[in-house]
Amino acid sequence: MSVAAIADETAIHDCVRRFYDAARADDLLGPVFNGWIKDWDAHLTTMDNFWSGALLATERYKAAPFPPHLKLKMGQEHFDRWRELWVPAVEASLPEPIKSKAISISEHMAHCWGRAYLTMTSEMA
Ligand code: HEM
């Protein structure tokens, strides 16, 4: 791995932890994360892998990220809050060009995932 790639992976690692420190303390997202996630080391490693895949096109994350969310009880406000906490974590941790990429992906995630999630969970209700 190149020095630049190692720096990016380290920045992603920091960003993920910065985000989860804020999310676990958040009044809306905290109860969902803290209620479901039992093994935080494993979850943070999964998230490192997911974002490494999304931002650096590594293939460390091989699962489907959306289905595990279908069992949670969330509304659009959860996705909006997710983005409100994710963007400052990105701005504080990631260098360009992955900073801009992580912010633009998050727009897609919050809106498209939010809509898809709400449609699918209302059909299941
Ligand atoms: C919209 C942006 C989001 C992204 C990109 C995202 C990404 C992910 C990924 C990659 C996983 C791991 C899935 C796996 O096990 O392979 C995960 C799990 C999880 N996410 Fe999200 N997530 C998002 C929003 C949210 C929101 C808003 C919440 C609400 C608090 C949430 C709560 C969870 C929980 C509780 C898990 C663990 C589920 C389990 O393992 O049983 N996520 N997420």
Side-chain angles (χ1 to χ4, degrees):
M1 212 192 290
S2 71
V3 173
I6 293 170
D8 281 348
E9 295 286 6
T10 305
I12 290 169
H13 179 277
D14 291 347
C15 183
V16 165
R17 278 142 196 84
R18 194 183 290 267
F19 167 77
Y20 277 102
D21 283 349
R24 294 186 71 178
D26 184 73
D27 56 350
L28 186 62
L29 300 192
V32 184
F33 281 122
N34 293 320
W36 279 96
I37 295 169
K38 303 291 172 234
D39 183 343
W40 275 96
D41 286 344
H43 183 69
L44 295 177
T45 301
T46 300
M47 298 312 295
D48 291 343
N49 291 340
F50 172 79
W51 284 106
S52 169
L55 299 175
L56 303 174
T58 60
E59 294 186 359
R60 291 197 344 224
Y61 183 79
K62 296 193 170 65
F66 188 73
H69 295 87
L70 290 171
K71 64 184 178 222
L72 311 179
K73 293 265 174 292
M74 295 193 289
Q76 182 61 44
E77 68 276 16
H78 291 83
F79 291 91
D80 293 343
R81 183 70 60 85
W82 174 86
R83 187 160 188 277
E84 281 165 25
L85 299 181
W86 176 247
V87 170
V90 166
E91 283 174 339
S93 320
L94 300 188
E96 292 292 4
I98 59 172
K99 181 196 284 189
S100 297
K101 194 169 177 186
I103 291 172
S104 70
I105 292 175
S106 76
E107 281 165 30
H108 169 83
M109 295 286 184
H111 299 128
C112 299
W113 272 42
R115 244 194 340 260
Y117 174 86
L118 293 175
T119 306
M120 292 177 79
T121 49
S122 68
E123 281 166 2
M124 288 174 356

